[in-house]
Amino acid sequence: MRFMVFVKSPKPLAALHRDPLLRAGVLLDAGDLVPDAYGVSGYWLIDVRDHEEAVERVRRIPLPACVVEIRQVPVV
């Protein structure tokens, strides 16, 4: 299953903290988005077994003062 992980933080973190996902072989894409009024956002696109694995992998990454949202991406 594929999941898009959105990270909102005061500084660009998504691209910097992608290494654990890359080493695990689940990272498909990562990048930073254009800053908005709430700060900087970034994303990871990951391929894991289920939502629980997605949550567990993201929890292992130090993301201080961040808002994280995980959404399933339908595969067509």
Side-chain angles (χ1 to χ4, degrees):
M1 300 175 89
R2 291 184 178 178
F3 292 89
M4 183 70 73
V5 181
F6 295 98
V7 182
K8 290 184 182 179
S9 71
K11 57 184 177 179
L13 289 176
L16 296 175
H17 287 65
R18 67 179 181 229
D19 290 342
L21 300 171
L22 194 57
R23 283 193 305 272
V26 299
L27 184 68
L28 300 175
D29 192 19
D32 292 313
L33 304 174
V34 177
D36 63 9
Y38 300 104
V40 176
S41 295
Y43 71 92
W44 297 308
L45 179 62
I46 59 175
D47 189 12
V48 293
R49 286 187 315 269
D50 53 28
H51 186 264
E52 289 77 23
E53 183 181 355
V55 170
E56 182 57 35
R57 292 202 179 272
V58 171
R59 279 191 179 150
R60 295 179 191 165
I61 301 170
L63 298 169
C66 295
V67 175
V68 177
E69 183 179 345
I70 300 173
R71 291 190 180 187
Q72 185 175 353
V73 176
V75 179
V76 234

